[in-house]
Amino acid sequence: MSSQERRLERIEKKKEKISKMEARLGVISEPLREQQMKMIEMMKSGIEMIENDIRKQENIWNFPEIQQ
């Protein structure tokens, strides 16, 4: 398994964790909910950065003139 495949697998697990956290937001107290929402947003932005990095890497490998 390539490092990109491992990274994508970890991203999927994090997305599942975020979904579970979002599902629990309705049953927790307001101060904790706000804290959880901030953490979820940070996790989402981190995942987005990793996905963008992976896309950049894929684009580099898709251009043969860069590989030389």
Side-chain angles (χ1 to χ4, degrees):
M1 181 180 285
S2 74
S3 65
Q4 282 187 338
E5 289 171 330
R6 285 192 302 273
R7 288 173 83 185
L8 289 171
E9 192 174 287
R10 285 195 305 266
I11 286 173
E12 286 306 312
K13 287 181 182 177
K14 286 181 183 179
K15 284 182 179 180
E16 289 173 17
K17 182 177 180 178
I18 289 172
S19 293
K20 289 177 185 175
M21 290 171 72
E22 287 175 324
R24 279 185 251 141
L25 285 176
V27 297
I28 58 178
S29 65
E30 188 63 33
L32 186 57
R33 184 179 308 133
E34 289 179 28
Q35 185 181 0
Q36 286 284 71
M37 288 170 64
K38 288 177 185 173
M39 188 161 54
I40 288 169
E41 286 304 313
M42 287 176 31
M43 290 171 72
K44 284 182 177 181
S45 67
I47 288 171
E48 191 176 307
M49 287 172 33
I50 294 169
E51 287 175 330
N52 288 338
D53 185 50
I54 290 171
R55 278 191 216 98
K56 286 179 190 173
Q57 288 295 323
E58 288 173 349
N59 288 339
I60 289 171
W61 294 114
N62 288 333
F63 293 103
E65 63 275 6
I66 295 174
Q67 293 178 7
Q68 296 176 356

